[in-house]
Amino acid sequence: LQVSEALVQPARAEHSCRAVAEALSAGKPVLIAKGLNLWRSVVGHSAGLAADDSTAGYTMLFSDWLNESPDERIVYGANARAYFKEHHTEQAVANLLMAVIYLLLGARQAGTVGEPVNPEVFRQEADFL
């Protein structure tokens, strides 16, 4: 991983998210399938590229990566490391857990416990961390 340019992670691979986190921690951009849950976040942070989990998708993914300039690839690597630090370290996970606890406490105080909760709320509220 240390000598690679990027990690290519198909959606069907075992332990997909763990491999992605390891690549990000090493400052390696990830080229991932849209079948992985975190593809939107990775692309949104410019820490990698994503495409459909198909032969055409992977062809496009490799083509897009190879068309990036060396300077752009370096930026993707820096963004990958920053993304890891922001979202996947112990502190980041602890912050997210605390945000969920505060949201649940707030729901309890508002008297909305037991009502359906949209999980997207947690993602939106955790963005401030």
Side-chain angles (χ1 to χ4, degrees), residues 32-113:
I32 60 176
K34 289 184 178 177
L36 294 175
N37 290 338
L38 54 91
W39 77 267
R40 286 180 189 87
S41 185
V42 167
V43 171
H45 286 83
S46 298
L49 304 173
D52 291 332
D53 188 26
S54 65
T55 302
Y58 290 110
T59 300
M60 184 185 76
L61 197 57
F62 285 121
S63 176
D64 289 349
W65 180 251
L66 293 173
N67 286 326
E68 298 287 347
S69 72
D71 289 339
E72 290 169 324
R73 292 180 192 179
I74 290 170
V75 170
Y76 274 109
N79 291 343
R81 182 72 179 135
Y83 173 70
F84 175 81
K85 284 182 177 180
E86 183 179 341
H87 295 282
H88 296 283
T89 61
E90 290 96 356
Q91 185 63 52
V93 173
N95 289 345
L96 181 59
L97 177 60
M98 290 304 297
V100 170
I101 290 169
Y102 287 134
L103 285 170
L104 292 173
L105 289 173
R108 183 175 184 189
Q109 289 175 349
T112 58
V113 173

